[in-house]
Amino acid sequence: MRSRVIMVLAVLAVLLGAGLLVPTAYAKFAGDGGGLGGIGGGAVEQVPAPAPTPPPPPTLAAGPVSVNFKGEFFGWALMDRQTGDISGSKNMASTSSTESMLKAWIVSDYLRQLGDKEPSAALKKAASLAIRDSNDTAANQVYAAAGGSYKVPAGGQPGPVIKRAISICGLTDTKRGNVPTYEGWWSFTRMSPRDAVRLGDCIADGKAAGPKWTKWVLDEMSKVRGSVKDQQARSGGGKWGIVDGLPAEIKAQGPVSIKNGWTPLNYDGNWHVSCLAVTEKWSLAVMLRYPQSSKLEYGAKVCASVATQLVTPQPGAALKVPQQPVGKL
């Protein structure tokens, strides 16, 4: 009898010891708070918040543009050179005169015809001056060397230099100027903003000037010089407009090649201003006609404003912080 009592007491002792050990182990597993999985105050390992994601580098992209423009014509177009997509104003297929903007094509057309040959020293200098200083006399020399003529072609068709721009660059709206006094003049070629960005892309991708001369043309366009105040009778400063509307972050990504055209014309009393800029990523054109009383500075500011409004993301855009949990078990 006594032995049975001793055995029962021994079993109870074992069971009692096990009952005490289980809660202790459970508490250690669950943490000091005793809750399973952290419920009820379990310890949580803190993980540092992820760093903010920096915005992509700024570029020009399709977007709204608002300009309080006072004049006869205002149109603009932007080409994304990666996709070929063109956006712009509702009238981006309407035309205005190119003025000296076309000099970039004239030089390209002449050099492409040379192939691997070198131009004479005089013509190479003329090609440079036509772009850097928008020199009319130099541009006329290159135009003649490219096969251009001021004789009015029959049937209202553009001359050979402009015809090649239309065919090589895929222009759809470009045509010969229709001002009788100036008919046949290359500067009165009528072009739409969307054709102008196609022209910029055509120069940048090598079709206009060919493999040997494309880099040279783009480099000359990046070295245009002189302000709106540096104007002479047959040349003038052309470094203004779109390039002035670009932030330093875009300019730092690589050269911005530009060519502006500008003339105050007596036959309609307007400034005719055409702005073109092209980079590896985009091609932008702004074309204007407005009263001469507003001066050239007005057109330069409008071109700059369009560029500034298309910058994406806008300077000072907030950094995005990924929405992720800050802790884990």
Side-chain angles (χ1 to χ4, degrees), residues 39-247:
I39 297 174
V44 176
E45 179 186 352
Q46 295 298 316
V47 177
T53 302
T59 185
L60 297 191
V65 168
S66 177
V67 174
N68 184 21
F69 180 72
K70 297 179 180 180
E72 183 179 288
F73 181 84
F74 164 61
W76 65 273
L78 173 71
M79 174 188 281
D80 181 334
R81 295 194 57 234
Q82 313 304 310
T83 65
D85 293 339
I86 298 176
S87 58
S89 56
K90 291 182 179 178
N91 64 343
M92 67 177 178
S94 300
T95 63
S96 191
S97 60
T98 62
E99 306 308 322
S100 293
M101 183 180 75
L102 196 65
K103 290 171 180 172
W105 165 258
I106 293 171
V107 169
S108 297
D109 185 51
Y110 166 64
L111 292 173
R112 186 195 65 260
Q113 294 180 65
L114 289 179
D116 292 333
K117 297 179 182 178
E118 285 284 332
S120 68
L123 274 171
K124 190 171 185 179
K125 182 178 180 180
S128 176
L129 292 176
I131 294 177
R132 291 195 190 193
D133 296 333
S134 204
N135 186 290
D136 291 339
T137 301
N140 288 338
Q141 292 172 353
V142 179
Y143 182 69
S149 172
Y150 287 95
K151 294 180 181 179
V152 179
Q157 296 298 313
V161 174
I162 307 306
K163 275 188 175 181
R164 287 192 291 269
I166 294 171
S167 62
I168 293 173
C169 299
L171 311 184
T172 58
D173 312 313
T174 300
K175 50 195 172 185
R176 190 179 77 188
N178 56 3
V179 181
T181 306
Y182 305 100
E183 200 163 5
W185 288 33
W186 54 259
S187 57
F188 282 82
T189 300
R190 297 187 68 83
M191 186 177 290
S192 65
R194 71 177 180 180
D195 269 2
V197 298
R198 289 165 176 159
L199 186 74
D201 178 62
C202 186
I203 292 171
D205 72 8
K207 289 196 295 287
K212 178 176 174 63
W213 294 104
T214 294
K215 186 178 183 299
W216 186 90
V217 171
L218 291 172
D219 186 58
E220 291 296 310
M221 292 173 69
S222 72
K223 294 177 180 176
V224 167
R225 53 199 174 195
S227 71
V228 292
K229 297 181 179 179
D230 300 326
Q231 304 298 322
Q232 292 81 42
R234 296 188 62 79
S235 66
K239 190 176 182 180
W240 42 263
I242 291 171
V243 70
D244 291 336
L246 302 176

Side-chain angles (χ1 to χ4, degrees), residues 4 6 40 146 173 225 263:
R4 288 183 180 178
I6 293 172
D173 312 313
R225 53 199 174 195
T263 309

